[in-house]
Coordinates of all heavy atoms in Angstrom, one line a residue:
G89 N 17.5 12.8 8.7 CA 17.3 13.0 10.1 C 16.0 13.6 10.4 O 15.7 14.0 11.6
G90 N 15.2 13.8 9.4 CA 13.9 14.5 9.5 C 12.9 13.8 10.5 O 12.2 14.4 11.3
L91 N 12.8 12.5 10.2 CA 11.9 11.7 11.1 C 12.3 11.7 12.5 O 11.5 11.8 13.4 CB 11.7 10.3 10.5 CG 10.8 10.1 9.3 CD1 10.6 8.6 9.0 CD2 9.5 10.8 9.6
D92 N 13.6 11.6 12.8 CA 14.1 11.6 14.2 C 13.9 13.0 14.8 O 13.5 13.1 16.0 CB 15.6 11.4 14.2 CG 16.0 10.0 13.8 OD1 15.2 9.1 14.0 OD2 17.2 9.7 13.4
Y93 N 13.8 14.1 13.9 CA 13.6 15.4 14.5 C 12.0 15.5 14.8 O 11.7 16.0 15.9 CB 13.9 16.4 13.5 CG 13.5 17.8 13.9 CD1 14.1 18.5 14.9 CD2 12.6 18.6 13.1 CE1 13.7 19.8 15.3 CE2 12.3 19.9 13.5 CZ 12.8 20.4 14.5 OH 12.5 21.7 14.9
L94 N 11.2 15.0 14.1 CA 9.8 15.0 14.3 C 9.5 14.1 15.6 O 8.6 14.5 16.5 CB 8.9 14.4 13.1 CG 8.9 15.3 11.9 CD1 8.2 14.6 10.7 CD2 8.2 16.7 12.2
V95 N 10.1 13.0 15.7 CA 9.9 12.1 16.9 C 10.5 12.8 18.1 O 9.8 12.8 19.2 CB 10.6 10.8 16.7 CG1 10.6 10.0 18.0 CG2 9.9 10.0 15.6
H96 N 11.5 13.6 18.0 CA 12.1 14.3 19.2 C 11.0 15.3 19.6 O 10.9 15.5 20.9 CB 13.4 15.0 18.6 CG 13.9 16.0 19.6 ND1 14.5 15.6 20.8 CD2 14.0 17.3 19.6 CE1 14.9 16.6 21.5 NE2 14.6 17.7 20.8
I97 N 10.4 16.0 18.7 CA 9.4 17.1 19.1 C 8.2 16.3 19.7 O 7.7 16.8 20.8 CB 8.9 17.8 17.8 CG1 10.1 18.6 17.3 CG2 7.8 18.7 18.2 CD1 9.8 19.3 15.9
A98 N 7.8 15.3 19.1 CA 6.7 14.5 19.7 C 6.9 14.0 21.1 O 6.1 14.0 22.0 CB 6.3 13.3 18.8
E99 N 8.1 13.5 21.3 CA 8.5 12.9 22.6 C 8.5 14.0 23.6 O 8.1 13.8 24.8 CB 9.9 12.3 22.5 CG 10.3 11.7 23.9 CD 11.7 10.9 23.7 OE1 12.2 10.8 22.7 OE2 12.2 10.5 24.8
K100 N 9.0 15.2 23.3 CA 8.9 16.3 24.2 C 7.5 16.7 24.7 O 7.2 17.0 25.8 CB 9.6 17.5 23.6 CG 11.2 17.5 23.5 CD 11.8 18.6 22.8 CE 11.7 20.0 23.5 NZ 12.3 21.1 22.9
I101 N 6.6 16.6 23.7 CA 5.3 17.0 23.9 C 4.6 15.9 24.8 O 4.0 16.3 25.8 CB 4.4 17.0 22.6 CG1 4.8 18.2 21.8 CG2 2.9 17.1 22.8 CD1 4.3 18.1 20.3
L102 N 5.0 14.7 24.7 CA 4.5 13.6 25.5 C 5.0 13.7 26.9 O 4.2 13.6 27.9 CB 4.8 12.2 24.9 CG 3.9 11.5 24.0 CD1 4.4 10.2 23.6 CD2 2.4 11.4 24.6
R103 N 6.2 13.9 27.0 CA 6.9 14.0 28.4 C 6.5 15.2 29.1 O 6.5 15.3 30.4 CB 8.4 13.8 28.3 CG 8.8 12.4 27.8 CD 10.3 12.1 28.0 NE 10.6 10.8 27.6 CZ 10.4 9.7 28.2 NH1 9.8 9.8 29.4 NH2 10.7 8.5 27.7
K104 N 6.1 16.2 28.4 CA 5.7 17.5 29.1 C 4.2 17.4 29.6 O 3.9 18.0 30.6 CB 5.8 18.6 28.1 CG 5.7 20.0 28.7 CD 5.9 21.1 27.7 CE 5.8 22.5 28.4 NZ 6.0 23.6 27.4
N105 N 3.5 16.5 29.0 CA 2.0 16.3 29.4 C 1.7 14.9 29.6 O 0.8 14.3 28.9 CB 1.1 16.9 28.4 CG 1.4 18.4 28.1 OD1 1.0 19.3 28.9 ND2 2.2 18.6 27.0
P106 N 2.5 14.1 30.4 CA 2.3 12.6 30.5 C 0.9 12.2 30.8 O 0.5 11.1 30.5 CB 3.3 12.3 31.5 CG 3.6 13.5 32.4 CD 3.4 14.6 31.4
K107 N 0.2 12.9 31.7 CA -1.1 12.5 32.2 C -2.2 12.5 31.0 O -3.2 11.8 31.2 CB -1.6 13.3 33.4 CG -0.7 13.1 34.6 CD -1.3 13.8 35.8 CE -0.5 13.7 37.0 NZ -0.2 12.3 37.4
K108 N -1.9 13.2 30.0 CA -2.8 13.3 28.8 C -2.4 12.3 27.7 O -2.7 12.5 26.6 CB -2.9 14.7 28.3 CG -3.4 15.7 29.3 CD -3.4 17.1 28.8 CE -3.9 18.1 29.8 NZ -3.8 19.5 29.4
I109 N -1.6 11.3 28.0 CA -1.0 10.4 27.0 C -2.1 9.7 26.1 O -1.8 9.5 25.0 CB -0.1 9.4 27.7 CG1 0.6 8.5 26.6 CG2 -0.9 8.4 28.6 CD1 1.7 7.7 27.1
N110 N -3.2 9.4 26.7 CA -4.3 8.7 25.9 C -4.9 9.6 24.8 O -5.4 9.2 23.9 CB -5.5 8.3 26.9 CG -5.1 7.1 27.6 OD1 -4.1 6.5 27.4 ND2 -5.9 6.7 28.4
Y111 N -4.7 11.0 25.0 CA -5.1 11.9 24.0 C -3.9 12.3 23.1 O -4.1 12.5 21.9 CB -5.8 13.2 24.5 CG -7.0 12.9 25.4 CD1 -6.9 12.7 26.8 CD2 -8.2 12.7 24.7 CE1 -8.0 12.4 27.5 CE2 -9.4 12.5 25.5 CZ -9.3 12.3 26.8 OH -10.3 12.0 27.6
L112 N -2.8 12.5 23.6 CA -1.6 13.0 22.9 C -1.0 11.9 22.0 O -0.6 12.2 20.8 CB -0.5 13.5 23.8 CG -0.9 14.8 24.6 CD1 0.3 15.1 25.6 CD2 -1.1 15.9 23.5
A113 N -1.0 10.7 22.5 CA -0.3 9.6 21.7 C -1.1 9.4 20.3 O -0.5 9.4 19.3 CB -0.4 8.2 22.5
P114 N -2.5 9.3 20.3 CA -3.1 9.1 19.1 C -3.1 10.4 18.2 O -3.0 10.3 17.0 CB -4.6 8.8 19.4 CG -4.7 9.2 20.8 CD -3.4 9.0 21.5
S115 N -3.0 11.6 18.9 CA -2.9 12.8 18.1 C -1.6 12.9 17.4 O -1.5 13.3 16.2 CB -3.1 14.0 19.1 OG -4.3 14.1 19.7
I116 N -0.5 12.5 18.0 CA 0.8 12.6 17.4 C 0.9 11.6 16.3 O 1.4 12.0 15.2 CB 1.9 12.3 18.5 CG1 2.0 13.4 19.5 CG2 3.3 12.0 17.8 CD1 2.8 13.1 20.7
T117 N 0.5 10.3 16.4 CA 0.6 9.4 15.3 C -0.4 9.8 14.2 O -0.1 9.5 13.0 CB 0.3 8.0 15.9 OG1 -1.0 7.9 16.4 CG2 1.3 7.5 16.7
Y118 N -1.5 10.3 14.6 CA -2.5 10.8 13.5 C -1.8 11.9 12.6 O -1.9 11.8 11.4 CB -3.7 11.4 14.2 CG -4.8 11.9 13.3 CD1 -5.8 11.0 12.9 CD2 -4.8 13.1 12.8 CE1 -6.8 11.5 12.0 CE2 -5.8 13.7 11.9 CZ -6.8 12.7 11.6 OH -7.7 13.2 10.6
F119 N -1.2 12.9 13.2 CA -0.7 14.0 12.4 C 0.6 13.7 11.7 O 0.9 14.2 10.7 CB -0.6 15.2 13.3 CG -1.9 15.9 13.6 CD1 -2.4 15.9 14.9 CD2 -2.7 16.5 12.6 CE1 -3.7 16.4 15.1 CE2 -3.9 17.1 12.8 CZ -4.4 17.0 14.1
L120 N 1.4 12.7 12.3 CA 2.6 12.2 11.6 C 2.1 11.5 10.4 O 2.8 11.6 9.3 CB 3.3 11.2 12.5 CG 4.2 11.8 13.6 CD1 4.9 10.7 14.4 CD2 5.3 12.7 12.9
T121 N 1.0 10.7 10.4 CA 0.5 10.0 9.2 C -0.1 11.0 8.2 O 0.1 10.8 7.1 CB -0.6 9.0 9.7 OG1 0.0 8.1 10.5 CG2 -1.1 8.2 8.5
I122 N -0.8 12.0 8.7 CA -1.4 13.0 7.8 C -0.3 13.6 7.0 O -0.4 13.9 5.8 CB -2.1 14.1 8.7 CG1 -3.4 13.7 9.3 CG2 -2.3 15.4 7.9 CD1 -4.6 13.7 8.3
L123 N 0.9 14.0 7.6 CA 2.0 14.6 7.0 C 2.7 13.7 6.0 O 3.0 14.0 5.0 CB 3.0 15.1 8.1 CG 4.2 15.7 7.5 CD1 3.9 17.1 6.8 CD2 5.1 16.0 8.7
A124 N 2.9 12.5 6.5 CA 3.7 11.5 5.7 C 3.0 10.6 4.7 O 3.6 10.1 3.8 CB 4.5 10.6 6.7
G125 N 1.6 10.5 5.0 CA 0.9 9.6 4.1 C 1.1 8.1 4.3 O 0.7 7.3 3.5
T126 N 1.8 7.8 5.4 CA 2.0 6.3 5.8 C 1.9 6.2 7.2 O 2.4 6.9 8.0 CB 3.3 5.8 5.3 OG1 3.5 4.5 5.8 CG2 4.5 6.7 5.6
G127 N 1.2 5.1 7.7 CA 1.0 4.8 9.1 C 2.2 4.2 9.8 O 2.3 4.1 11.0
H128 N 3.2 3.9 8.9 CA 4.4 3.2 9.5 C 5.2 4.2 10.3 O 6.2 3.7 11.1 CB 5.3 2.6 8.4 CG 4.6 1.4 7.8 ND1 4.5 0.2 8.4 CD2 4.0 1.2 6.6 CE1 3.9 -0.7 7.6 NE2 3.6 -0.1 6.5
T129 N 5.0 5.5 10.3 CA 5.7 6.4 11.1 C 5.4 6.2 12.6 O 6.2 6.6 13.4 CB 5.3 7.9 10.7 OG1 3.8 8.0 10.8 CG2 5.8 8.3 9.4
A130 N 4.3 5.5 12.9 CA 3.9 5.2 14.3 C 5.0 4.3 15.0 O 5.1 4.3 16.2 CB 2.5 4.6 14.3
F131 N 5.7 3.5 14.2 CA 6.7 2.7 14.8 C 7.7 3.4 15.7 O 8.0 3.0 16.8 CB 7.6 2.0 13.7 CG 7.1 0.7 13.2 CD1 6.6 0.5 11.9 CD2 6.9 -0.4 14.1 CE1 6.3 -0.8 11.5 CE2 6.4 -1.6 13.7 CZ 6.1 -1.8 12.4
S132 N 8.0 4.7 15.2 CA 9.0 5.3 16.1 C 8.5 5.9 17.3 O 9.4 6.2 18.2 CB 9.6 6.5 15.2 OG 8.5 7.3 14.7
M133 N 7.2 6.0 17.5 CA 6.6 6.5 18.7 C 6.3 5.4 19.8 O 6.1 5.7 20.9 CB 5.4 7.3 18.4 CG 5.6 8.6 17.7 SD 6.7 9.7 18.6 CE 5.9 9.8 20.2
I134 N 6.3 4.2 19.3 CA 5.7 3.1 20.2 C 6.6 3.0 21.5 O 6.1 3.0 22.6 CB 5.7 1.7 19.4 CG1 4.5 1.8 18.4 CG2 5.5 0.6 20.4 CD1 4.5 0.6 17.5
P135 N 8.0 2.9 21.4 CA 8.8 2.8 22.6 C 8.5 4.0 23.6 O 8.5 3.8 24.8 CB 10.2 2.8 22.1 CG 10.1 2.4 20.7 CD 8.8 2.9 20.2
V136 N 8.4 5.2 23.0 CA 8.3 6.3 23.9 C 6.9 6.3 24.6 O 6.8 6.6 25.7 CB 8.2 7.7 23.0 CG1 8.1 8.9 23.8 CG2 9.5 7.8 22.2
I137 N 5.8 5.9 23.9 CA 4.6 5.7 24.5 C 4.5 4.7 25.6 O 4.0 5.0 26.7 CB 3.5 5.3 23.4 CG1 3.3 6.4 22.3 CG2 2.1 5.0 24.0 CD1 2.4 6.1 21.2
V138 N 5.2 3.6 25.4 CA 5.3 2.6 26.5 C 6.0 3.1 27.7 O 5.4 2.9 28.9 CB 6.1 1.3 26.0 CG1 6.4 0.3 27.1 CG2 5.3 0.6 24.9
E139 N 7.1 3.8 27.6 CA 7.8 4.2 28.8 C 7.1 5.4 29.5 O 7.0 5.4 30.7 CB 9.2 4.8 28.4 CG 10.2 3.6 27.9 CD 10.2 2.5 28.9 OE1 10.4 2.8 30.1 OE2 10.1 1.4 28.5
V140 N 6.5 6.3 28.8 CA 5.7 7.4 29.4 C 4.5 6.8 30.2 O 4.2 7.3 31.3 CB 5.3 8.4 28.4 CG1 4.4 9.5 29.0 CG2 6.5 9.1 27.8
A141 N 3.8 5.8 29.5 CA 2.7 5.2 30.2 C 3.1 4.5 31.6 O 2.4 4.6 32.5 CB 2.0 4.2 29.2
K142 N 4.2 3.8 31.5 CA 4.7 3.1 32.7 C 5.0 4.1 33.8 O 4.7 3.8 35.0 CB 5.9 2.2 32.3 CG 5.6 0.9 31.6 CD 6.8 0.3 30.8 CE 7.9 0.1 31.7 NZ 9.1 -0.5 30.9
E143 N 5.6 5.2 33.4 CA 6.0 6.1 34.4 C 4.7 6.8 35.1 O 4.7 7.1 36.2 CB 6.7 7.4 33.7 CG 8.2 7.0 33.2 CD 8.7 8.0 32.3 OE1 8.1 9.1 32.2 OE2 9.8 7.8 31.8
Q144 N 3.5 6.8 34.4 CA 2.3 7.4 35.0 C 1.4 6.2 35.5 O 0.3 6.5 35.8 CB 1.5 8.1 33.9 CG 2.3 9.3 33.3 CD 2.6 10.3 34.5 OE1 1.7 10.7 35.2 NE2 3.9 10.7 34.6
N145 N 2.0 5.0 35.6 CA 1.2 3.8 36.1 C -0.1 3.6 35.2 O -1.2 3.3 35.7 CB 0.7 4.0 37.6 CG 0.3 2.7 38.2 OD1 0.7 1.6 37.9 ND2 -0.7 2.8 39.0
I146 N 0.0 3.9 34.0 CA -1.1 3.6 33.0 C -0.8 2.4 32.1 O 0.4 2.2 31.6 CB -1.2 4.9 32.1 CG1 -1.8 6.0 32.8 CG2 -2.2 4.6 30.9 CD1 -1.8 7.3 32.1
K147 N -1.7 1.5 31.9 CA -1.5 0.4 31.1 C -1.1 0.8 29.7 O -1.9 1.5 29.0 CB -2.7 -0.5 31.0 CG -3.0 -1.2 32.3 CD -4.3 -2.1 32.2 CE -4.6 -2.8 33.5 NZ -5.8 -3.6 33.4
P148 N 0.0 0.5 29.2 CA 0.4 0.9 27.8 C -0.6 0.6 26.7 O -0.6 1.2 25.7 CB 1.8 0.3 27.5 CG 2.3 0.1 29.0 CD 1.2 -0.2 29.8
K149 N -1.4 -0.5 27.0 CA -2.3 -0.9 25.9 C -3.3 0.1 25.5 O -3.7 0.2 24.4 CB -3.0 -2.2 26.3 CG -4.2 -2.0 27.3 CD -5.0 -3.3 27.5 CE -6.3 -3.1 28.3 NZ -7.0 -4.4 28.4

Side-chain angles (χ1 to χ4, degrees):
L91 280 186
D92 287 339
Y93 175 63
L94 288 174
V95 171
H96 171 70
I97 294 173
E99 183 176 355
K100 285 177 68 176
I101 294 170
L102 267 182
R103 292 196 178 280
K104 193 174 181 181
N105 305 277
K107 293 188 182 300
K108 297 179 181 177
I109 188 172
N110 283 353
Y111 298 95
L112 289 175
S115 294
I116 288 169
T117 56
Y118 181 92
F119 286 108
L120 281 175
T121 301
I122 286 278
L123 176 65
T126 170
H128 290 286
T129 51
F131 268 122
S132 54
M133 288 306 303
I134 291 172
V136 180
I137 294 170
V138 170
E139 291 309 311
V140 174
K142 283 160 60 178
E143 289 168 8
Q144 297 301 310
N145 194 38
I146 293 172
K147 290 181 181 178
K149 77 169 185 179

